[in-house]
Amino acid sequence: MLSFFKRKEVERKGYKLSNVSRSRKVGVVASSLKELLKKGREKFQIDDCRCYLAQDGTLVDDEMYFRNLPEQTLFVVAGSDEVVKTDFELLYDVIRSRNSSLLKVGEIVKNFICSNKDSFLNSLKVLEEKENEKTEKSLREEDGEWFSGQESRFASKEEVMARRAQDRVRGYFYKAKDEITRCQLYRQSLPAKLKLDEILGVFQYFLIGCDHFSCLFDRKYPRKHHSVEEDSPDGGIPKKRMRLLRNLFEEEEFFKDLCVSLCNSHGDFRCQGVWSDVTCQYPGHTINPYSTRENFLLFQVWNLDHQIEISRTVIPSLLQTVELLTTENRVKCKVHQSRGINIDIITYFLELFTMDNLKLVHIVCHDKGAHHGLQSKGRVLCAKCTEQDALDKIMRKIQQTSSI
């Protein structure tokens, strides 16, 4: 049986909380959205406390989304019956109440541009060229401003972005592990617990072999996703064995196809659209986090969205399949009608961690409602299944690296 490893303690970060009128602001430290809401209730005496982004009024009710927000984010806490306005809306109300001539600024700017069109376009071209030069810079000494707040061990932008990709994929592993180890089946059935521990161990080895898909956000990674136009906490596994695992997976054509970059060589990312659409319907949903620190921070609210959902579909299917395998002596593979010997671990891995089931999306295209109509393809396998042959082949190679 393969072992799996203790979860890394969730990082605590500092945030700012304000009331609806912005008349009071406090700083808090929290490691989860639940903890943040609890402190919001205590600080502002709100029973049914809800949390919104002050910048654009987005309701924050998803733990994974919360964890991807940067430190010192300003939240507005409010009751369910309170109307929350964005910072811009509050500022606009103040200007309007004072009959300020600032409301005419837009018209003034428009007239100026129309009167000086050639000069304005030339200025834009110069700014664009400077921006492109900055974007192409990679090293810390070339663009120190971009690295503000980053750990000193990161020497290039690509290293920082690779670590961001790893963190997101690790988050999916921890989420899956939490849901599996908390479920009734895991706690009450020893055969199921042993099988689920084995599956989690396989997932961990696969993720190490793929370097936790650090390639996803790395613009210098040679293999690109088909949609592109042109010290890690690994449970104490020895570094030598980790290198061997990665070399092993690099040789496997199956895993080569999974390891791709989602941006072009310039660092441009394009939204892949709502889970139910083939492509994004908004031409403006593009971003280059390599260009400026502001874009890098904005990229943190872009999401890797599961089409077949983790909590609603993939994990329940995995648990149900394990229960069938461990409780029914004569459970059969539906394809060959032969006795089941394992579950389709590779398919579940694809659905949980890879671009087979993930889409990179702008926050507007992240639909948090139920993804109706999509089912997991995971199932019970028999000795005749090609999926089982592939798993056996990979695991034999992994066992060889473990003996070194």
Side-chain angles (χ1 to χ4, degrees):
M1 184 193 307
L2 298 172
S3 61
F4 63 98
F5 313 101
K6 294 182 179 179
R7 178 177 179 174
K8 185 183 178 183
E9 185 177 351
V10 179
E11 181 182 3
R12 298 173 67 82
K13 297 180 181 178
Y15 302 99
K16 298 173 184 176
L17 300 180
S18 178
N19 55 4
V20 171
S21 65
R22 310 298 200 277
S23 60
R24 184 182 171 210
K25 188 184 294 183
V26 297
V28 299
V29 174
S31 60
S32 67
L33 177 59
K34 182 178 179 181
E35 184 179 1
L36 188 78
L37 288 170
K38 179 182 177 183
K39 293 190 175 182
R41 284 193 295 269
E42 295 172 350
K43 299 284 186 183
F44 294 91
Q45 299 300 304
I46 300 173
D47 292 332
D48 186 13
C49 184
R50 303 191 181 189
C51 192
Y52 301 83
L53 292 179
Q55 184 179 25
D56 61 9
T58 300
L59 172 64
V60 181
D61 61 0
D62 180 83
E63 192 69 47
M64 290 302 295
Y65 176 73
F66 168 78
R67 291 182 186 179
N68 282 310
L69 294 174
E71 287 189 83
Q72 302 306 319
T73 296
L74 175 60
F75 297 96
V76 176
V77 291
S80 57
D81 58 344
E82 292 185 276
V83 177
V84 176
K85 292 186 177 183
T86 66
D87 289 342
F88 175 79
E89 289 171 329
L90 286 175
L91 177 61
Y92 183 84
D93 287 345
V94 171
I95 294 173
R96 185 173 59 181
S97 67
R98 297 177 182 177
N99 296 316
S100 173
S101 60
L102 286 176
L103 291 177
K104 299 179 182 179
V105 167
E107 190 65 28
I108 294 171
V109 171
K110 177 183 176 182
N111 292 334
F112 173 80
I113 292 174
C114 291
S115 302
N116 302 272
K117 184 176 179 180
D118 292 340
S119 176
F120 181 75
L121 290 176
N122 287 334
S123 297
L124 280 180
K125 184 177 179 180
V126 170
L127 288 173
E128 184 177 354
E129 289 174 353
K130 289 183 178 179
E131 189 65 39
N132 287 337
E133 289 177 7
K134 198 171 184 180
T135 300
E136 294 303 321
K137 292 177 180 178
S138 174
L139 301 179
R140 182 182 288 268
E141 55 266 28
E142 297 174 329
D143 190 0
E145 181 183 355
W146 191 94
F147 287 86
S148 177
Q150 301 301 322
E151 296 179 44
S152 58
R153 63 193 179 92
F154 294 127
S156 70
K157 294 178 181 179
E158 290 75 20
E159 289 179 11
V160 174
M161 293 298 292
R163 182 52 189 261
R164 291 298 176 270
Q166 289 177 322
D167 288 345
R168 296 201 190 191
V169 173
R170 282 193 178 93
Y172 300 140
F173 175 77
Y174 293 139
K175 180 180 178 66
K177 180 180 174 182
D178 281 350
E179 294 192 17
I180 287 171
T181 55
R182 286 203 312 264
C183 76
Q184 186 176 16
L185 178 67
Y186 184 89
R187 294 176 179 275
Q188 296 185 1
S189 169
L190 180 59
K193 178 182 183 301
L194 294 175
K195 188 62 183 177
L196 289 167
D197 284 347
E198 178 187 344
I199 292 166
L200 288 170
V202 173
F203 285 166
Q204 186 77 328
Y205 273 108
F206 281 10
L207 289 173
I208 292 170
C210 295
D211 198 25
H212 289 81
F213 295 105
S214 61
C215 55
L216 291 177
F217 299 160
D218 183 355
R219 64 181 175 181
K220 290 187 178 180
Y221 196 77
R223 288 192 295 274
K224 304 296 183 183
H225 190 261
H226 61 79
S227 68
V228 174
E229 298 174 3
E230 209 315 18
D231 286 16
S232 57
D234 290 313
I237 292 180
K239 290 184 177 180
K240 180 180 178 181
R241 192 186 304 169
M242 287 169 60
R243 286 196 300 271
L244 290 171
L245 278 169
R246 289 169 188 162
N247 291 339
L248 181 161
F249 278 69
E250 188 66 22
E251 295 169 3
E252 290 289 335
E253 290 298 324
F254 172 76
F255 288 99
K256 275 186 180 181
D257 293 337
L258 297 177
C259 295
V260 294
S261 173
L262 299 180
C263 65
N264 60 22
S265 57
H266 188 60
D268 299 315
F269 290 83
R270 186 183 301 276
C271 174
Q272 296 174 342
V274 178
W275 67 271
S276 55
D277 291 343
V278 177
T279 58
C280 179
Q281 305 302 312
Y282 302 92
H285 284 184
T286 61
I287 192 170
N288 190 323
Y290 288 88
S291 60
T292 64
R293 174 170 166 74
E294 289 74 18
N295 272 3
F296 170 72
L297 294 175
L298 281 173
F299 186 69
Q300 295 182 61
V301 299
W302 280 54
N303 295 280
L304 285 171
D305 187 23
H306 285 82
Q307 295 171 277
I308 307 172
E309 299 171 278
I310 291 183
S311 297
R312 292 190 178 107
T313 307
V314 180
I315 297 300
S317 171
L318 187 153
L319 294 174
Q320 183 181 38
T321 307
V322 168
E323 185 173 18
L324 284 173
L325 186 68
T326 56
T327 59
E328 296 187 19
N329 294 330
R330 297 186 179 275
V331 64
K332 293 184 177 181
C333 157
K334 292 181 179 179
V335 176
H336 302 101
Q337 295 301 311
S338 298
R339 185 176 70 85
I341 60 171
N342 202 353
I343 80 163
D344 193 353
I345 297 177
I346 291 179
T347 292
Y348 284 119
F349 176 80
L350 294 177
E351 292 178 349
L352 286 168
F353 307 112
T354 77
M355 296 308 297
D356 266 28
N357 188 40
L358 289 167
K359 296 183 79 172
L360 180 68
V361 295
H362 185 281
I363 187 172
V364 171
C365 290
H366 189 197
D367 181 3
K368 296 181 182 178
H371 297 185
H372 297 294
L374 297 181
Q375 299 297 321
S376 170
K377 298 179 178 63
R379 61 186 180 88
V380 171
L381 301 179
C382 69
K384 298 178 183 179
C385 292
T386 56
E387 295 91 341
Q388 184 59 39
D389 286 342
L391 180 63
D392 288 341
K393 175 185 174 184
I394 294 168
M395 295 311 299
R396 280 196 296 269
K397 290 186 177 181
I398 288 177
Q399 293 296 343
Q400 290 173 5
T401 66
S402 299
S403 63
I404 295 176

